[in-house]
Amino acid sequence: MNLIAAVDENWGIGRENALLYHLPEELKYFKEKTTGKVIICGKNTLLSFPGSRPLPNRVHLVLTHTDFPENEQMLVFHDTDSLLQKAASFPADDVFLAGGESVYRQLYKKCRFAYITKINSSAVPATAFLPDLDRDPDFRLLSQGERQVSQNGIAFCFCLYENLALS
Ligand SMILES: NC(=O)c1ccc[n+]([C@@H]2O[C@H](COP(=O)([O-])OP(=O)(O)OC[C@H]3O[C@@H](n4cnc5c(N)ncnc54)[C@H](OP(=O)(O)O)[C@@H]3O)[C@@H](O)[C@H]2O)c1
């Protein structure tokens, strides 16, 4: 499986159960990468989606200790082992670890590639973080896209990391 996240200059990913910045280009990128695929997320992240509902045209594997309604688009798991067993029934490249902090921390080492949007800002103080892949000896930066400037003036770039431990 692969990881997808948008991080600020400090590897911050969120605050008050929301994203730090609204980047239409990043949302489009996330949509392109994950539509028709499977996303793994924690309950808080699921609740942070519009209307607290699953995103269209994606299967969601959701982690929670609580009872949570299931349907064909959203399967609920109470531990990572059972979630990973289900995730293994899909093609590995179709499964994306999509946050938030607690779920990234538990499962990021199981991801072969990490699609990281790096946002050139730390203006909004983050309370949720992704582990810093630049300081993780298992991960190396494979490619860094051109610096772009969003419609709202925030600079960002699309990066790809590889987990050497799984190569
Ligand atoms: N920038 C990005 O790319 C990005 C992506 C995703 C999320 N985010 C941000 O990340 C933040 C949310 O992160 P978070 O850490 O608070 O929430 P989270 O990881 O989305 O969800 C945490 C919840 O997941 C459940 N959970 C986690 N591990 C579990 C396990 N092993 N077994 C059973 N249930 C488990 C628990 O739910 P219960 O309490 O119900 O048991 C836990 O409270 C938000 O600000 C969000 O916007 C950012």
Side-chain angles (χ1 to χ4, degrees), residues 33-152:
K33 287 277 177 229
T34 60
T35 294
K37 307 285 172 60
V38 178
I39 64 176
I40 295 173
C41 66
K43 190 180 79 177
N44 294 352
T45 294
L46 190 280
L47 293 176
S48 77
F49 293 157
S52 299
R53 299 193 48 79
L55 300 171
N57 303 316
R58 275 149 277 200
V59 171
H60 298 60
L61 309 183
V62 180
L63 268 174
T64 175
H65 297 97
T66 64
D67 285 334
F68 206 70
E70 282 190 300
N71 56 46
E72 60 184 24
Q73 209 194 334
M74 190 166 67
L75 306 175
V76 172
F77 299 88
H78 301 304
D79 61 83
T80 55
D81 284 349
S82 57
L83 179 142
L84 289 173
Q85 203 175 347
K86 180 64 182 176
S89 68
F90 298 97
D93 275 345
D94 286 356
V95 181
F96 287 89
L97 185 66
E101 173 175 329
S102 77
V103 172
Y104 283 137
R105 284 194 189 285
Q106 292 171 76
L107 298 176
Y108 81 105
K109 292 274 191 182
K110 301 201 177 288
C111 295
R112 170 88 195 275
F113 294 103
Y115 295 89
I116 304 293
T117 303
K118 286 191 174 175
I119 301 168
N120 297 125
S121 181
S122 53
V124 180
T127 54
F129 294 84
L130 181 72
D132 181 342
L133 300 187
D134 288 322
R135 290 171 182 266
D136 189 313
D138 284 343
F139 284 84
R140 79 172 163 138
L141 181 64
L142 268 187
S143 66
Q144 177 152 347
E146 274 182 27
R147 181 179 183 274
Q148 304 178 49
V149 179
S150 173
Q151 294 168 19
N152 56 21

